[in-house]
Amino acid sequence: MSTRPSASRPRDTTRSWPALLALCVAAQALIAVHASGDGQYLNWLDRTVRPDQDFFHFANGGWIKANPIPPDRSYWGVDTVLEQSNQEFIRALVEDLARRPDSLPPGGDRRKVADFFISGMDERGVEAAGATPLQPEFSRIAAISSIADLQAEFAHLQTIGIAAPLQVGQMQDFTDSTQVIAFIGQSGLGLPNRDYYLQGHPPYAAARKAYQQHIARMFVLLGDSPSAAARQADMVMGLETRLAKASMSDTEQRDPRAIYHLMSVRQAEALTPQLHWRQILSNLGRPDIDSLNVAMPDFFKAVNLELQRAPLSVWKTYLRWQLVHACAPYLSQSFVDEDFRMATVLSGTKELQARWLRVLRAEDEALGFAIGEMYVGQRFSPAAKLAALAMVKRVRDALKADLQTLRWMTPVTREAAIKKLNLMEVRVGYPDRWRDYAALQIDRGPYVLNVLRAKEFEQKRELAKIGKPVDRSEWFMTPQTVNAYYDPSMNSLNVPAGILQPPFYDVSWPDAVNYGAIGATIGHEMTHGFDDEGAKFDGRGNLNDWWAPADLKKFQSATRCISKQFAQYTVAGGLHVKGELVTGEAVADLGGLILALQAFHGVPAAPGAALASGTAQEFTPDQLFFIAYAHSWAGELRAEQAQELVTTDPHPPMIYRTNGILANSPEFQQAFGIAGRSPMVKPERCAIW
Ligand SMILES: [Zn+2]
């Protein structure tokens, strides 16, 4: 439920449920562009576009023309520009350490940060090694000779971050948010999601064809003959397609009750007799676990069937594929290039990113909080934190006032909603306690083994939480991340230091601009506590029907209004936005905009806080607020990336996060004098908050 997808995913990342473990997948890289220093960015406007026709391009057309998507990107926006600047800053920190690694205490975080980077940048060593560092892993798979061996290998691969075809992890119990339970989830598709295997639209069909060829080419790189490789690619595709059919859709997974089936290990084994959960948990080092959430029972019934139906050779081929697929980005150039070739099909990216960026991304996953600790020490000021907290307070007050006066809400629901809001925890900047990486072993290579050890460390850390009380101090985003998130099980709003910078926020900017940009993002996260999904959890983070039935009905019809509106929108290739998939994010966008505007209106006008020179005459404060809102979504996607995101991402495309939301705002229309028939006015306005 974060507000931003990242470089590969649009802004506002959502913390997925159950807390999914990151796979060993290709990182996307960034290139350099410098942000302007001016809070209003009036040179971003395209004055040939009328604000009442297409506000997104009116506000951002100039920026988009001046910032074409770099060849090594599938998406380029104001957030990626900031992320790029964060990365360059971090690169300088890390390179400084990597120049003098032996002066750093062995076993300490800074030494690990240096050694990881050195191993990744050692292109010659990586090249010479090819895929040989993975040989012990391939031998394990080759030695599988029974269903029992196969399941032991599922568990083993899981320990190094390769979740195929299942994922074992931890989550806060939906019904007792103080406790951590085990969950098992569907996993193991090499394409972005089930639609890519099953839908007939041309972009999906093209991706399938390319994927099958890609699998075969990878097998050839591993030394197979082309004919054997083609046969094996066929096997993999067949098995993955059957798993895709049994997979729960992303839209279905948005209902927490649909992915909550807590049962004993014995019951799980009765459900899927071929899958020996007790043994798998034991292989994962947790034989003591006696209950778990079987998140997607139908998927596991299908795996159970495939264990009986598919020959062992098919399963072994599939695991061999999953291993090389996950690790290709960290192997020699031929693997990296082949991996990238598939990425271009899915994302439209034209060039591979610079090595240092790819290594830093892998390092961010492996040691992100160690890097974050160095980052905030130098790049986050106490003043920024205080000012951000003050904005959060104003947005929270606006939501409280709104809840107190909403006409459609009855007193009992109103009281529960305000209680939930009062319990919401706000965290800004970085965690109070830093992550302990002492048990993680990092050396100077092979690079891929550093990556796998980091996955293993993370997997152990996650599984160790099961059966213990929740650690409320943990963050799920590193401090350097250009994003924010709301966590429904924690009922917490989290704003990392990384986003509290231009173009989202600057302490010297006029309030109109800060509230339109970061203020709306804060409001977005806050209303996630009250979107169609968040509304199912109470103030303590437990699934709970705290709504009076009549209120819930009104609320649901209001959110349906949003789903219907957004389902009308399309992206390149004619693919439609999935209305139900994006409901939560669109509802949060609308709520965030309204709350930020109310909060802004509540700020007493400080006599000294004049607008930047040259702008006061041209735009009113409200107009500046809406321009800043649109600016926070400035960016452009390649067609392939737009198609992937519209298929998998719960966030609507950025143009609709701007135009689709503003068209529901009478305050926006009033500010720009837009009346009557206009694409920026919805005849049937959706209103929730
Ligand atoms: Zn969100």
Side-chain angles (χ1 to χ4, degrees), residues 175-500:
T175 61
D176 177 2
S177 67
T178 65
Q179 297 300 314
V180 181
I181 58 170
F183 87 88
I184 47 174
Q186 66 190 30
S187 184
L189 301 183
L191 284 168
N193 75 0
R194 71 194 302 277
D195 292 345
Y196 276 82
Y197 294 85
L198 307 175
Q199 299 289 333
H201 297 293
Y204 301 132
R208 275 198 290 279
K209 193 169 164 221
Y211 180 59
Q212 188 153 346
Q213 291 165 349
H214 166 62
I215 298 170
R217 279 199 289 262
M218 280 289 201
F219 282 134
V220 169
L221 288 179
L222 288 176
D224 298 351
S225 73
S227 60
R231 244 185 352 262
Q232 297 185 92
D234 209 41
M235 290 177 183
V236 171
M237 200 61 191
L239 180 57
E240 287 192 9
T241 304
R242 296 196 293 279
L243 294 176
K245 272 186 196 144
S247 296
M248 192 184 274
S249 74
D250 298 324
T251 302
E252 288 170 296
Q253 289 181 57
R254 293 193 65 246
D255 176 4
R257 290 184 205 279
I259 53 168
Y260 186 70
H261 311 279
L262 190 62
M263 58 182 83
S264 67
V265 173
R266 186 184 302 208
Q267 283 169 319
E269 293 197 337
L271 183 77
T272 57
Q274 298 295 317
L275 274 158
H276 303 134
W277 296 110
R278 165 78 54 219
Q279 188 58 45
I280 289 173
L281 291 165
S282 179
N283 289 351
L284 287 168
R286 293 301 310 265
D288 55 309
I289 291 171
D290 54 17
S291 66
L292 73 185
N293 172 20
V294 180
M296 296 94 182
D298 288 343
F299 177 81
F300 291 106
K301 283 188 212 158
V303 172
N304 188 73
L305 185 66
E306 288 302 328
L307 286 174
Q308 293 167 286
R309 201 169 78 171
L312 211 48
S313 59
V314 169
W315 277 108
K316 288 166 71 170
T317 303
Y318 167 74
L319 292 186
R320 186 163 168 253
W321 157 246
Q322 288 286 330
L323 175 64
V324 71
H325 172 58
C327 298
Y330 317 106
L331 300 177
S332 53
Q333 200 60 37
S334 50
F335 289 94
V336 171
D337 287 343
E338 181 51 41
D339 187 66
F340 177 69
R341 195 189 329 209
M342 187 63 214
T344 63
V345 173
L346 294 174
S347 69
T349 310
K350 309 286 181 225
E351 277 175 20
L352 189 64
Q353 290 180 341
R355 186 166 195 94
W356 70 267
L357 262 170
R358 287 181 279 134
V359 173
L360 269 196
R361 278 186 179 268
E363 181 145 14
D364 200 68
E365 259 193 53
L367 288 155
F369 285 91
I371 292 171
E373 193 174 356
M374 299 191 294
Y375 173 88
V376 296
Q378 299 195 31
R379 205 157 154 163
F380 187 56
S381 73
K385 180 166 181 164
L386 282 179
L389 282 170
M391 288 183 75
V392 172
K393 184 180 179 306
R394 287 192 183 278
V395 175
R396 191 200 281 250
D397 288 347
L399 179 52
K400 197 179 288 181
D402 199 61
L403 289 170
Q404 272 157 350
T405 54
L406 268 184
R407 262 176 296 164
W408 57 266
M409 214 176 237
T410 55
V412 53
T413 307
R414 192 188 306 283
E415 199 178 311
I418 290 172
K419 193 170 152 204
K420 175 166 185 178
L421 181 62
N422 287 339
L423 284 168
M424 190 181 291
E425 192 184 343
V426 176
R427 309 191 294 184
V428 170
Y430 53 91
D432 291 335
R433 277 196 297 134
W434 292 106
R435 190 162 294 178
D436 179 0
Y437 289 105
L440 171 58
Q441 192 211 323
I442 295 295
D443 55 29
R444 291 185 197 160
Y447 176 44
V448 66
L449 297 187
N450 274 336
V451 173
L452 293 184
R453 276 195 301 270
K455 303 278 180 202
E456 192 171 1
F457 168 79
E458 178 60 13
Q459 169 79 12
K460 275 200 186 126
R461 202 183 67 82
E462 290 286 320
L463 293 184
K465 296 176 185 173
I466 297 166
K468 294 197 186 128
V470 169
D471 171 8
R472 293 195 60 93
S473 72
E474 193 180 359
W475 282 58
F476 300 98
M477 255 179 210
T478 59
Q480 60 273 31
T481 307
V482 180
N483 212 329
Y485 71 97
Y486 172 77
D487 184 333
S489 287
M490 296 276 196
N491 190 21
S492 74
L493 188 166
N494 306 266
V495 188
I499 197 172
L500 291 169

Side-chain angles (χ1 to χ4, degrees), residues 1-3 12 524-525 528 585 651:
M1 314 216 128
S2 56
T3 28
D12 168 72
H524 169 108
E525 299 308 339
H528 265 317
E585 295 299 337
H651 303 88

